[in-house]
Amino acid sequence: MWQISRIPAYQARVSCWNFLISYKETVTSCGSMFSEFGKIQRAVRKSQMLQKLLALILEVGNYLNGGTERGQADGFDLETLGKLDSVKDNVAQSRDARHLIFEMFFCGAQEFGQLAKEDHLRFYDRGEQLLEELGPLMKSVSRAVQRDSEGTLKMMKNVRVGLEEAEESLRELNQQLTEQLEALQMALELTDDPADPLKLHMAVELSTAKAEIKALEEQGTTCREDYGKLMKFFNHTGMKSSDFILLWDNLLIPEDLMLAIPLSTLKKYIFPRFCAPSVIPNLHDLLLLWGFRAAEQKPPRKSQRVRRKRRDRVPTPATDVMAVVTVHRFGAKWLGAARRKRTLT
């Protein structure tokens, strides 16, 4: 201890050394978060199928609000995505507007008998494309079902990628760097030895750390600016990044829908596909969750879908027109009195 006490600026040296061996972990973690969130933003912004889904939601909303001041809207607030379940089916109370929307989007509303049977493959491909495009977003959410103190099942969702958390970690890292640079300057003033490792190595390594943190700061600034542009694209004033991610995950995988499934089916089919670590649900799993297929039903063979794609290489406007016509023609049958009692806000 006496020998240690003879070292000039011992405490400052240890502090700088500790910072240098630990800051890289924070830099790597924040850089990974910024990178992953950037992928999520690009996935949402560039997804063609998500735009088609939102267009279908708008069309359903305009039908519900027909004849009112809210009809013929050009768009809707993002928060509306969390209110679709408020419009109930007048026949089956377990169904709501979400079922109508997703059934038409994923299955083509075949229960109404208006779409050719082979068109099912086209809708299946469209659903698969949506999940593929939103893959980065789906990967960022972990789900778990637990019982609370009263024994009631609750669904817990955790977003692994948070822009605000990464920015806060970066601010703390910048503050620590400033403190270590001040400690280094104080330590250099207390030593006259030109061969002191503090002069030969510590100053250089802290300079390198400063450059890395600056580059990370630029990455974070770009990510924040892109997120602002994305919010502007949705004409939204802004929301926490984790809330934005959960908005879409809750739309596709809602808690109330999952917990309404019998426990035996949950344990055998749902939990392994939606709540297991590192497992990303596919369209076949999503159709089971929404009740659009039986648990034992197998997905269409890929060879059938490939043949269908080859026939449909030249796209036609009839695809989107069919979705709109289906809403207008069969929305009244499905919703019935709901149009007169409720409006989509």
Side-chain angles (χ1 to χ4, degrees):
M1 295 300 296
W2 183 83
Q3 290 291 345
I4 290 177
S5 68
R6 305 299 294 173
I7 300 176
Y10 167 73
Q11 186 175 356
R13 293 171 185 263
V14 172
S15 179
C16 291
W17 182 30
N18 181 63
F19 174 79
L20 287 173
I21 63 177
S22 61
Y23 85 93
K24 285 185 178 293
E25 182 178 354
T26 304
V27 169
T28 302
S29 176
C30 291
S32 177
M33 282 193 180
F34 288 141
S35 177
E36 290 301 317
F37 191 71
K39 293 178 182 178
I40 292 172
Q41 293 184 89
R42 290 190 292 273
V44 173
R45 181 65 180 87
K46 296 181 179 180
S47 173
Q48 297 179 355
M49 292 300 109
L50 182 60
Q51 293 183 21
K52 291 182 180 295
L53 176 60
L54 293 177
L56 183 58
I57 294 174
L58 176 62
E59 189 65 29
V60 171
N62 280 334
Y63 178 84
L64 287 171
N65 294 321
T68 70
E69 294 180 354
R70 296 177 178 178
Q72 298 182 345
D74 295 324
F76 56 87
D77 296 332
L78 281 179
E79 285 76 9
T80 301
L81 298 177
K83 303 175 183 178
L84 297 175
D85 60 330
S86 64
V87 184
K88 301 297 184 181
D89 184 355
N90 65 318
V91 177
Q93 291 299 314
S94 61
R95 292 167 60 92
D96 51 57
R98 298 172 301 177
H99 292 80
L100 169 65
I101 292 167
F102 283 123
E103 189 163 25
M104 285 192 293
F105 188 83
F106 290 135
C107 308
Q110 292 186 76
E111 67 173 6
F112 300 122
Q114 298 300 313
L115 297 178
K117 185 176 181 180
E118 59 269 17
D119 279 348
H120 170 66
L121 302 178
R122 171 170 57 82
F123 284 97
Y124 195 93
D125 291 336
R126 185 168 71 173
E128 278 200 331
Q129 183 178 339
L130 173 67
L131 294 185
E132 182 180 350
E133 291 172 345
L134 296 183
L137 186 146
M138 303 294 289
K139 292 178 183 177
S140 68
V141 180
S142 60
R143 310 169 196 87
V145 176
Q146 302 173 347
R147 293 188 182 275
D148 59 14
S149 58
E150 299 178 355
T152 305
L153 287 177
K154 298 288 185 180
M155 186 174 182
M156 309 295 292
K157 290 188 177 183
N158 179 50
V159 179
R160 302 188 185 97
V161 180
L163 178 58
E164 292 78 13
E165 289 77 2
E167 290 174 331
E168 179 61 27
S169 296
L170 179 56
R171 281 192 291 269
E172 294 178 358
L173 192 63
N174 259 319
Q175 183 178 353
Q176 294 173 13
L177 175 64
T178 301
E179 294 172 354
Q180 300 314 312
L181 289 174
E182 292 175 354
L184 174 64
Q185 185 61 35
M186 181 193 70
L188 289 175
E189 293 175 355
L190 297 177
T191 178
D192 298 326
D193 184 3
D196 192 326
L198 195 68
K199 294 182 177 180
L200 298 178
H201 305 292
M202 193 72 74
V204 175
E205 292 183 12
L206 278 177
S207 178
T208 301
K210 183 178 180 180
E212 292 180 9
I213 294 174
K214 183 178 180 180
L216 181 64
E217 196 169 18
E218 293 174 353
Q219 183 183 3
T221 300
T222 301
C223 193
R224 171 56 67 178
E225 291 175 350
D226 290 343
Y227 186 48
K229 294 177 182 178
L230 183 61
M231 289 290 97
K232 186 176 180 180
F233 171 75
F234 285 111
N235 196 28
H236 199 281
T237 56
M239 67 173 67
K240 190 176 179 181
S241 60
S242 57
D243 294 338
F244 178 76
I245 293 174
L246 286 177
L247 184 73
W248 304 105
D249 194 82
N250 289 336
L251 176 65
L252 295 171
I253 309 174
E255 176 185 8
D256 63 304
L257 193 68
M258 179 175 290
L259 298 183
I261 298 175
L263 188 58
S264 58
T265 304
L266 282 176
K267 291 181 177 180
K268 187 175 182 180
Y269 298 103
I270 302 300
F271 290 166
R273 297 304 306 169
F274 291 91
C275 301
S278 304
V279 176
I280 303 174
N282 56 35
L283 178 60
H284 204 54
D285 304 321
L286 211 61
L287 294 178
L288 174 61
L289 176 67
W290 283 92
F292 299 150
R293 76 167 180 90
E296 298 78 14
Q297 185 178 351
K298 296 182 179 180
R301 292 196 302 271
K302 191 173 182 179
S303 59
Q304 292 178 327
R305 288 153 48 205
V306 169
R307 288 197 296 270
R308 175 70 190 180
K309 284 182 179 179
R310 288 175 179 172
R311 294 201 305 269
D312 294 341
R313 281 181 179 175
V314 180
T316 64
T319 301
D320 295 332
V321 172
M322 178 62 74
V324 175
V325 171
T326 303
V327 175
H328 281 293
R329 187 174 295 174
F330 304 108
K333 176 180 178 180
W334 191 90
L335 293 167
R339 176 179 177 180
R340 297 190 297 272
K341 295 180 180 179
R342 294 178 178 269
T343 58
L344 195 66
T345 58

